[in-house]
Amino acid sequence: MSRRYLFTSESVTEGHPDKICDQISDAILDTLLAQDPYSRVAAEVVTNTGLVLITGEITSKAQVNYVNIARQKIAEIGYTNADNGFSANSCSVLVALDEQSPDIAQGVTAAQEQRQDLSDDELDQIGAGDQGLMFGFACDETPELMPMPISLAHRISRRLAAVRQSGELSYLGPDGKTQVSVTYEDGRPVGIDTILISTQHTETIGDLTENSQIQAKIKADLWEKVVQPAFADIEVKPDDKTRFLVNPTGKFVIGGPQGDSGLTGRKIIVDTYGGYSRHGGGAFSGKDPTKVDRSAAYASRYAAKNIVAAGLAQKCEVQLSYAIGVAHPVSIFVETFGTGKVSDDILLKLLQEHFEFRPAGIIQTFDLRHLPAQRGGRFYQNVAAYGHLGRTDLDLPWEQTDKAELLKEAAAKLSGAMA
């Protein structure tokens, strides 16, 4: 019997209070790694009306001005008007940082760590920075091999920011949230049930002062300039049955940290797969690459994406788990939800043979320590909003599908040998 259901995912814009914190945390990480690629960083940020608190544990040879980093990022996001209750120039920025715990450091530090091109034996000597479990996922629902609900929510959020920053819709504010409900039939997306956008805006728009007129204009503008462009290369599009909700409370003038507090790492589902795939629970932003919460989540996405890109499954989820101070994963699990063209056992053998899951090996494969310096001092902060995964607008090493052909050939050989 055919099964029809809805699945919903949300995104938030760069001006959302939690995302402000994520971006400041990753801007700090970028600055430290650009000067000292072996910095140990766990940067946490809290924000509220008129306040930013930078805390966490950092050990680095770099010399940085944390207050300036925070103010520059806040201004870049768009909070420059003190009348709105939160501004880059007027907010208080407090700094309370410690060094990394020596008990943690001893589990991941090895004499040869601060070198590139480590040998296989040397990679075995550098352990994970923490215990934990991470998931990577890919599916063939969108060109970037991401679940359609989160992909569309991010596309709309990015477009919302673009029309604000370009001045095309200058009345929009930095804070906003999007949500998309996709209709599925027998596991495949077939329609768009609901699109929801809540976006910060000015009290008046041009000559419009009545709230009903303001909301009507916002709704019309967003449909034309934000929603429709987001579906340009997506086969499943909104139709006359799609509900389009904008600012359901009636207005959204007070936003950002004035409207709600923010915290680094509180949008882990937005950062990954929108709830469509499982999540290990660890946040990404503000963490250097020795933290497997971040680096192994990227590695597992890379593995799952290449399996789907190779045509070996329509959906693939990879789980990794680690013990602090131990190099090799404690476990590796692969699941294709009945869509695999070969058995999951074969896919597991392919993962073990063709992918690097040791923490130091992941760092070396993706060059995670040196990318901030190579890209002008900003890399991690670019993924701190609008998703760490499935980003076609950024050149991310874990989004490459360079192993797809290799996996296809290796799977054929393994299948023949096991027949």
Side-chain angles (χ1 to χ4, degrees):
M1 180 180 290
S2 174
R3 184 188 176 210
R4 193 177 179 90
Y5 58 91
L6 301 178
F7 193 91
T8 302
S9 294
E10 73 161 352
S11 177
V12 297
T13 64
E14 63 209 60
H16 185 280
D18 293 331
K19 277 294 145 200
I20 295 172
C21 296
D22 285 340
Q23 290 168 94
I24 294 172
S25 294
D26 274 336
I28 290 169
L29 177 65
D30 276 339
T31 305
L32 291 166
L33 290 180
Q35 293 185 38
D36 176 9
Y38 300 94
S39 298
R40 292 289 168 76
V41 185
E44 310 282 352
V45 175
V46 181
T47 185
N48 206 331
T49 303
L51 173 68
V52 173
L53 170 64
I54 299 170
T55 187
E57 298 80 41
I58 292 175
T59 302
S60 177
K61 297 176 183 177
Q63 299 295 315
V64 303
N65 187 319
Y66 296 105
V67 175
N68 284 350
I69 292 171
R71 294 194 190 283
Q72 289 168 9
K73 177 53 67 175
I74 293 165
E76 179 186 306
I77 291 168
Y79 289 104
T80 56
N81 186 351
D83 294 338
N84 292 332
F86 186 78
S87 170
N89 294 325
S90 63
C91 67
S92 297
V93 182
L94 307 180
V95 180
L97 292 167
D98 295 318
E99 290 198 342
Q100 184 184 45
S101 162
D103 292 344
I104 295 175
Q106 70 178 352
V108 296
T109 301
Q112 69 275 19
E113 183 200 16
Q114 296 193 18
R115 284 188 16 238
Q116 292 179 276
D117 302 320
L118 298 175
S119 69
D120 194 64
D121 287 341
E122 289 172 327
L123 292 174
D124 273 343
Q125 297 175 37
I126 302 173
D130 201 353
Q131 71 176 54
L133 51 137
M134 302 83 210
F135 288 95
F137 182 79
C139 63
D140 63 357
E141 294 179 7
T142 61
E144 64 269 33
L145 303 185
M146 286 286 284
M148 186 172 288
I150 189 65
S151 174
L152 292 173
H154 282 323
R155 286 165 181 245
I156 293 170
S157 285
R158 288 199 300 269
R159 184 67 189 161
L160 196 61
V163 296
R164 171 180 63 87
Q165 293 165 348
S166 69
E168 192 172 2
L169 297 181
S170 59
Y171 58 77
L172 296 179
D175 195 0
K177 301 178 78 171
T178 67
Q179 188 171 287
V180 179
S181 300
V182 175
T183 304
Y184 283 81
E185 194 167 292
D186 294 332
R188 305 298 296 175
V190 296
I192 308 300
D193 182 84
T194 304
I195 298 169
L196 165 62
I197 301 177
S198 295
T199 181
Q200 187 181 12
H201 59 87
T202 56
E203 189 76 52
T204 60
I205 300 176
D207 295 331
L208 301 178
T209 57
E210 290 190 16
N211 192 56
S212 59
Q213 295 176 320
I214 291 170
Q215 298 306 318
K217 175 172 177 53
I218 293 172
K219 187 172 185 177
D221 285 349
L222 294 186
W223 183 259
E224 177 188 352
K225 299 180 185 300
V226 174
V227 173
Q228 290 184 324
F231 284 83
D233 62 341
I234 297 291
E235 185 176 341
V236 178
K237 298 184 187 298
D239 57 24
D240 57 0
K241 296 180 181 178
T242 300
R243 288 188 299 170
F244 182 43
L245 306 176
V246 175
N247 293 342
T249 64
K251 64 185 295 189
F252 186 179
V253 174
I254 299 173
Q258 186 185 18
D260 197 3
S261 62
L263 181 65
T264 297
R266 200 157 55 182
K267 285 291 178 283
I268 60 175
I269 299 303
V270 170
D271 285 343
T272 52
Y273 305 100
Y276 195 100
S277 170
R278 287 171 282 200
H279 196 293
F284 297 162
S285 288
K287 296 179 180 178
D288 74 77
T290 66
K291 277 71 170 177
V292 283
D293 278 340
R294 181 170 216 157
S295 54
Y298 296 160
S300 55
R301 160 65 176 172
Y302 178 58
K305 186 175 184 180
N306 274 273
I307 286 173
V308 173
L312 299 177
Q314 289 180 312
K315 298 179 182 180
C316 180
E317 184 179 74
V318 174
Q319 186 203 48
L320 304 174
S321 69
Y322 293 87
I324 188 168
V326 179
H328 287 272
V330 173
S331 67
I332 305 174
F333 174 74
V334 60
E335 168 70 64
T336 56
F337 309 95
T339 70
K341 303 300 187 289
V342 298
S343 72
D344 290 349
D345 288 340
I346 287 178
L347 293 178
L348 179 58
K349 291 180 184 295
L350 295 176
L351 293 182
Q352 291 169 329
E353 182 175 349
H354 297 289
F355 289 89
E356 178 59 80
F357 294 129
R358 290 170 294 182
I362 296 170
I363 292 170
Q364 186 164 283
T365 298
F366 295 151
D367 204 14
L368 295 177
R369 295 188 193 279
H370 300 95
L371 283 171
Q374 293 169 9
R375 301 194 182 183
R378 56 182 302 149
F379 175 74
Y380 292 105
Q381 61 192 286
N382 290 341
V383 295
Y386 312 115
H388 293 242
L389 312 163
R391 296 291 296 272
T392 57
D393 58 321
L394 300 172
D395 179 19
L396 304 177
W398 54 87
E399 290 297 319
Q400 303 303 312
T401 54
D402 51 341
K403 288 186 181 285
E405 287 302 316
L406 177 97
L407 292 177
K408 191 183 299 184
E409 294 172 6
K413 290 179 182 178
L414 268 178
S415 298
M418 298 174 69

